[in-house]
């Protein structure tokens, strides 16, 4: 009866049984490993699926917007920047706030911004309104990711890599589905059909509100305690070096992913003269491979160590990225499957590694890394768009093929002590 009740990696306090309501004394003390926690983990992953399905509509409708409004590649990149830069700036702020005080219903409220952004995008008749709509969808993403990552960890039962993979695979599956829905619905029916996807946002609001109802009593009345570092944890200097390395690795990963998610359809259309719908199906193949890679990356990190997964997943794709600019149509599809699967396996490993380096700043670290991923993707898309206008889309993929070489920096990551779950 004197065991501490672990609420979070950041929020943990021994609970005096005398202070609990009488019915609570009869309840088990470890809900994180029980059935209801897995239901919550599934619910937050499903919400991530819905959230990223809607977000992926933005790059999926780029060919339509480019044709309707006579946009160049630089302007297309600015749309991505408007969406991802908003999310990048606000995510660390949201994480810092929720470190101090959990906001159980903020997820549902943030999803309301995505709901309104989709409606605005469906009726936008000018480039400026398109940018505003993209920024509103980015705002919803900024609110969603830091606190939902905390909920996933809370529901993990100690298997943090697995939980992060389940959470991430929902988002990657949604990202993969977006181009298919765009090909089947938006391309035939045009820009106004984007409004139909607001129903997905409404469903996500309902799911997230229910998760907030579960989450609220988990943190109600709990005080933050200073997390004591593990006696064999790396020094503060090594932690700072490791965070810089993780940021550099995330930079190479996200910039390459941005080159594919934003411009792969244009690359296929220009180089192989395929239709827009065919190009979006090829994009779906790549994004589906990334979803599968994320699913396996977390458990492999739990089993073999996150440092080894990070090393392999980023540096290991270098032969495939170097071959991609010179491959034919179907060979390109095969290469992107390997690239997406291997590269995406780094995502949960990088995020959980960073969280373990600074467990007392869980929300802020989650926000910084999720936000940095969005920001690099946005800035990279804008820069690559300008480069494509100047030198051509083929040149972009030749340059980006060398980015995974930054994976060599993984040798600087420290070994982390194993914690008992």
């Amino acid at each position: 009866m004197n065991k501490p009740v672990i609420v979070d990696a950041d929020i943990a306090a021994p609970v005096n049984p005398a202070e609990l309501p009488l019915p609570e004394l009869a309840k088990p003390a470890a809900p994180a490993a029980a059935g209801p926690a897995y239901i919550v983990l599934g619910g937050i992953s499903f919400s991530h699926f819905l959230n990223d399905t809607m977000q992926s509509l933005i790059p999926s409708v780029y060919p339509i917007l480019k044709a309707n409004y006579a946009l160049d590649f630089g302007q297309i990149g600015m749309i991505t920047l408007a969406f991802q830069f908003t999310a990048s700036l606000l995510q660390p702020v949201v994480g810092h706030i929720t470190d101090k005080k959990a906001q159980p219903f903020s997820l549902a409220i943030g999803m309301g911004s995505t709901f309104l952004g989709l409606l605005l995008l469906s009726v936008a008749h000018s480039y400026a309104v398109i940018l505003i709509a993209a920024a509103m969808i980015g705002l919803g993403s900024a609110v969603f990711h830091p606190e939902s990552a905390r909920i996933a960890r809370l529901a993990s039962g100690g298997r943090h890599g697995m939980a992060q993979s389940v959470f991430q695979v929902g988002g990657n599956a949604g990202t993969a589905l977006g181009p298919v829905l765009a090909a089947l619905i938006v391309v035939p029916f045009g820009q106004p059909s984007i409004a139909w996807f607001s129903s997905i946002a409404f469903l996500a609001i309902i799911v997230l509100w229910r998760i907030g109802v579960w989450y609220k009593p988990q943190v109600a009345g709990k005080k933050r305690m200073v997390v004591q570092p593990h006696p064999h944890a790396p020094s503060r200097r090594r932690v700072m070096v490791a965070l810089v390395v993780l940021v550099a690795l995330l930079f190479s990963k996200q910039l390459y992913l941005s080159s594919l998610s934003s411009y792969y359809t244009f690359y296929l259309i220009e180089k192989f003269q395929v239709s827009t719908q065919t190009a979006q199906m090829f994009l779906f193949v790549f994004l589906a491979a990334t979803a599968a890679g994320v699913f396996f990356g977390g458990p492999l990190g739990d089993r073999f160590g996150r440092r080894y997964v990070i090393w392999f997943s980023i540096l290991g794709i270098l032969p495939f990225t170097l071959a991609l600019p010179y491959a034919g149509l179907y060979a390109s599809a095969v290469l992107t499957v390997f690239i997406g699967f291997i590269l995406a396996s780094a995502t949960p490993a990088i995020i959980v590694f960073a969280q373990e380096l600074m467990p007392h700043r869980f929300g802020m670290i989650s926000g910084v890394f999720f936000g940095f991923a969005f920001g690099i993707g946005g800035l990279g898309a804008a820069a690559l768009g300008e480069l494509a206008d100047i030198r051509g889309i083929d040149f972009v993929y030749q340059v980006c093929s060398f980015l995974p070489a930054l994976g060599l920096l993984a040798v600087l990551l420290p070994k982390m002590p194993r914690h008992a779950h």
Side-chain angles (χ1 to χ4, degrees), residues 343-419:
L343 186 60
S345 64
T347 303
I350 288 175
I351 292 174
V352 175
F353 199 106
Q355 291 167 347
E356 291 175 347
L357 285 170
M358 297 188 71
H360 57 296
R361 292 288 185 267
F362 179 84
M364 187 186 72
I365 286 294
S366 300
V368 165
F369 274 79
F370 280 119
F372 183 80
F374 279 108
I376 287 299
L379 291 172
L384 293 175
E386 294 293 343
L387 185 62
D389 285 331
I390 297 171
R391 297 294 301 271
I393 200 73
D394 275 343
F395 182 76
V396 167
Y397 284 101
Q398 291 172 10
V399 172
C400 289
S401 66
F402 293 95
L403 285 172
L406 286 176
L408 290 169
L409 292 174
V411 72
L412 300 176
L413 293 175
K415 291 184 178 180
M416 297 295 291
R418 290 193 174 273
H419 298 269

Side-chain angles (χ1 to χ4, degrees), residues 22 25 77 107 116 118 147 246 329 342 390 413:
L22 185 59
L25 296 176
L107 300 178
L116 296 175
L118 286 171
E147 195 71 339
L246 291 174
L329 177 61
I342 298 173
I390 297 171
L413 293 175

Side-chain angles (χ1 to χ4, degrees), residues 18 33 50 56 84 111 141 207 210 260 267 273 276 321 338 340 354 358 361 405 421:
L50 297 177
S56 66
Q84 295 183 343
M111 190 60 65
S141 180
V207 174
R210 291 297 304 164
L260 284 174
Y267 172 77
Q273 291 77 52
T276 298
T321 60
F338 284 102
M358 297 188 71
R361 292 288 185 267
H421 295 321

